[in-house]
Amino acid sequence: MRFDVLTLFPEMFEGVLAASILGRAATHPADSAPDSAPRLSYHLTNIRDFTVDKHQKVDQRPFGGGPGMVLQCQPVWDAVQSVEPLDARPATRIVMTPQGRRLDQSMVEELAQLPRLLIIAGRYEGIDERVVERLAPIREISIGDYVLTGGELAAMVLIDAVTRLIPGVLGDDESAGADSFASEIGGVLDHPHYTRPRVWEGMAVPEVLISGDHAAIEAWRRQQAMARTRDRRPDLLS
Ligand code: ADE
């Protein structure tokens, strides 16, 4: 999987993409030879590098008035045209926007099957609608019903959620299937988790978990997951 990110703030991504599981996924492919290409790569492109404005401007005031600034078509279009030919794999175009379809785990699972994602992180009040139209087919994705200062954090959320589903990225290939929302467990919340010590501050772990009875443990976890889901997220069951 190749990720291309088009942004005005590439430095926001650097720490996140280099740290922890994402950094390891891009540098140390677990099941391939040391000198082979990583299964995953992230490529950052600064949209400002494509401006033709003599003051390096990429935004203008909105036609019709109103607050804020709008990212112009030309630098976004030229950035996409420059980045796409850098790899033969076809890119699925995505723009992060609070007006998009809301991201959920089933969308993440679908995106994780694709060979390449090209993600545009918008800033300011928005992107000129004409370039979004011209970039069709393009998926407009929101990470939730709240407004961020820009699409960068939203793009990082998307990249993180997709990356951990790429086979071999998580240490134990099983662990993604048991997550809250995973379609493998029926799109419900995860059960509670416990580890040592058996008693902490007078609170014991549920007895069944130390019984060694695997069928009983499975049944308990399933029941806990359903009870939590009914209590906290009944919408997931309807
Ligand atoms: N940009 C600003 N807010 C956003 C959101 N909620 N999702 C995606 N992109 C955004």
Side-chain angles (χ1 to χ4, degrees), residues 8 29 45 54 65 74 103 123 127 176 205-206 211 224 228 232:
L8 290 168
T45 297
K54 62 176 184 285
Q74 175 272 319
L103 186 67
R123 268 267 147 175
I127 303 180
V205 307
S211 67
Q224 289 283 312
R228 280 188 159 189
R232 303 177 186 181

Side-chain angles (χ1 to χ4, degrees), residues 95-99 122 141-152 154-155:
V95 61
M96 304 311 300
T97 160
Q99 278 79 49
I141 298 178
S142 163
I143 63 162
D145 292 341
Y146 41 82
V147 181
L148 304 166
T149 53
E152 286 77 16

